[in-house]
Amino acid sequence: MSVMRSLLLAASQNRWLRGRASHYKFVRRSVSRFMPGEEVEDAIGAAKILESKKIAGVFTRLGENIADVREAEEVTQHYVDVLRKIREAGLHTEISVKLTQLGLDQSTELCIANVKRIVEGENPDKTVWIDMEASNYVDATLDVYRKVLAQFPRTGVCLQAYLFRTKPDLEKLLALKPSVRLVKGAYKEPAEVAYPVKRDVDESYFSLGQEMLRAQRDGRMFRVAFGTHDTALIQRLADFTAKEAMPKNALEIQMLYGIQRAEQERLATAGYRSGVLVAYGSYWYPWFVRRLAERPANLWFMVKNLFAA
Ligand SMILES: Cc1cc2nc3c(=O)[nH]c(=O)nc-3n(C[C@H](O)[C@H](O)[C@H](O)COP(=O)(O)OP(=O)(O)OC[C@H]3O[C@@H](n4cnc5c(N)ncnc54)[C@H](O)[C@@H]3O)c2cc1C
């Protein structure tokens, strides 16, 4: 892992920096590249524009590790309300939730109940996605996922290609016909649990991706999505689908708002399924710093904003 990435991932967890960051205009200007605004209405506005380009939105409210069950209840109710607003706006947008915002640290049972309450409010043709957080949460997240999936067969979970355990995790999940969004992984993980070298993460991603696409074709997976901006990897996956004579819409790529916009549009126009995760909310600091860690060149973009009018 590069020194810069390590430093930024450590900074993403620093409370003092979090407290200071929102006071600086140049930081807020930089954040606005990656999210349309702090309110769900801002996300709805962005999703309307995306849909006009055949790009589906996926909403996520920023925040992690809430302090008590009251906060978990507030976040649950928030998502129930958001699903209603999405319906009223006539959008195809889905949502992606973090279990530590829904009470995972407080009680697994409570978390399962909260996720089920949210999924019940969703159109049964759509997927509610469950994010994957740091590696110490993987067991608990998959446990909640399996229990929700048993009742709501379209629910999806995120798996991280950087973890050694993901291959066996995927194989076990296949018995349940899951929906999976594959990502590389955004957290600072030790070399005992995750590939430290990027090339190995990329190969793990491609290998898992091929397995998922085959499983989807064979009816062993409900839905497969790839959360990545890596255009070389996307091309390898597209070539694989063509070689296996899969239709273009078997390949679904989801990206983050504001990143690789031209590629998002190119994929949608070419007949692939293209989606964009639109984040909103006031708790953006750790999320934003993880985006900087993914591409330290983004720091220059922030520095430029420091000198902008
Ligand atoms: C839809 C979606 C959902 C996600 N959900 C999760 C989750 O639940 N859990 C989790 O751990 N991680 C999640 N992630 C983050 C993911 O793990 C990676 O950290 C992130 O996607 C960067 O990896 P990459 O696949 O784009 O490849 P990389 O190799 O990191 O990047 C490939 C190229 O994409 C561009 N790029 C990548 N990131 C940025 C950026 N921040 N700014 C500008 N350009 C960039 C650069 O050109 C870079 O060269 C999600 C990502 C997406 C897109």
Side-chain angles (χ1 to χ4, degrees):
M1 189 190 290
S2 78
V3 177
M4 184 59 88
R5 179 162 186 257
S6 280
L7 283 174
L8 285 165
L9 287 177
S12 75
Q13 289 161 354
N14 186 294
R15 279 166 187 257
W16 186 83
L17 285 173
R18 188 176 82 207
R20 300 302 311 148
S22 59
H23 295 297
Y24 295 112
K25 266 197 187 152
F26 78 97
V27 177
R28 298 182 80 92
R29 266 200 299 267
S30 306
V31 172
S32 68
R33 178 185 164 184
F34 299 108
M35 53 188 275
E38 293 191 359
E39 306 301 326
V40 68
E41 284 69 24
D42 299 319
I44 287 177
K48 284 184 179 162
I49 296 170
L50 289 167
E51 255 188 40
S52 71
K53 299 174 182 172
K54 297 196 174 65
I55 299 172
V58 181
F59 287 177
T60 194
R61 185 201 196 191
L62 297 175
E64 285 156 58
N65 299 68
I66 46 103
D68 56 42
V69 296
R70 201 181 32 81
E71 272 188 77
E73 162 61 27
E74 188 268 320
V75 177
T76 305
Q77 188 55 47
H78 169 83
Y79 276 121
V80 170
D81 294 342
V82 165
L83 290 175
R84 182 179 41 76
K85 288 182 185 177
I86 290 171
R87 266 198 307 279
E88 285 168 3
L91 289 165
H92 294 96
T93 304
E94 297 178 333
I95 58 168
S96 197
V97 299
K98 274 198 172 26
L99 295 188
T100 57
Q101 277 191 285
L102 298 172
L104 188 63
D105 287 326
Q106 286 68 32
S107 142
T108 309
E109 293 316 309
L110 171 86
C111 182
I112 292 169
N114 284 341
V115 178
K116 285 186 176 176
R117 221 177 104 201
I118 293 169
V119 182
E120 266 162 12
E122 177 59 298
N123 175 336
D125 295 337
K126 291 206 231 163
T127 301
V128 169
W129 296 98
I130 295 175
D131 286 2
M132 191 57 81
E133 301 178 60
S135 58
N136 55 319
Y137 285 110
V138 176
D139 280 327
T141 302
L142 292 180
D143 186 32
V144 171
Y145 176 60
R146 280 187 211 97
K147 291 187 173 125
V148 176
L149 188 65
Q151 197 177 336
F152 300 98
R154 290 209 64 130
T155 315
V157 73
C158 176
L159 293 181
Q160 298 154 323
Y162 65 8
L163 294 183
F164 302 137
R165 60 172 291 171
T166 295
K167 190 173 167 51
D169 281 343
L170 175 65
E171 267 150 27
K172 276 181 246 154
L173 281 178
L174 286 183
L176 307 172
K177 201 172 179 188
S179 292
V180 172
R181 178 180 72 217
L182 184 67
V183 301
K184 290 189 188 176
Y187 296 83
K188 186 171 172 13
E189 299 293 357
E192 297 83 65
V193 301
Y195 294 102
V197 177
K198 181 175 157 34
R199 196 175 352 102
D200 295 334
V201 178
D202 293 354
E203 283 318 303
S204 162
Y205 195 105
F206 185 54
S207 161
L208 290 161
Q210 291 172 91
E211 190 176 345
M212 285 167 51
L213 285 164
R214 282 201 192 98
Q216 178 179 245
R217 178 193 56 198
D218 301 343
R220 288 179 294 133
M221 288 186 79
F222 214 103
R223 180 165 164 196
V224 163
F226 295 97
T228 184
H229 315 93
D230 188 332
T231 47
L233 201 43
I234 293 168
Q235 190 55 51
R236 286 174 82 189
L237 291 167
D239 292 345
F240 175 75
T241 53
K243 186 167 79 65
E244 297 278 317
M246 295 173 189
K248 279 189 170 175
N249 68 6
L251 185 61
E252 174 172 359
I253 308 293
Q254 296 182 358
M255 299 196 186
L256 301 181
Y257 180 85
I259 302 180
Q260 307 273 34
R261 289 178 192 214
E263 179 70 358
Q264 294 164 12
E265 292 181 28
R266 185 193 71 79
L267 289 165
T269 312
Y272 299 103
R273 297 179 72 183
S274 179
V276 165
L277 191 86
V278 184
Y280 61 92
S282 54
Y283 189 82
W284 43 258
Y285 172 79
W287 181 87
F288 171 62
V289 180
R290 286 203 295 275
R291 302 293 78 82
L292 296 181
E294 282 157 6
R295 192 165 181 252
N298 284 340
L299 281 172
W300 290 114
F301 168 73
M302 203 162 82
V303 171
K304 271 193 265 162
N305 273 329
L306 177 60
F307 296 108

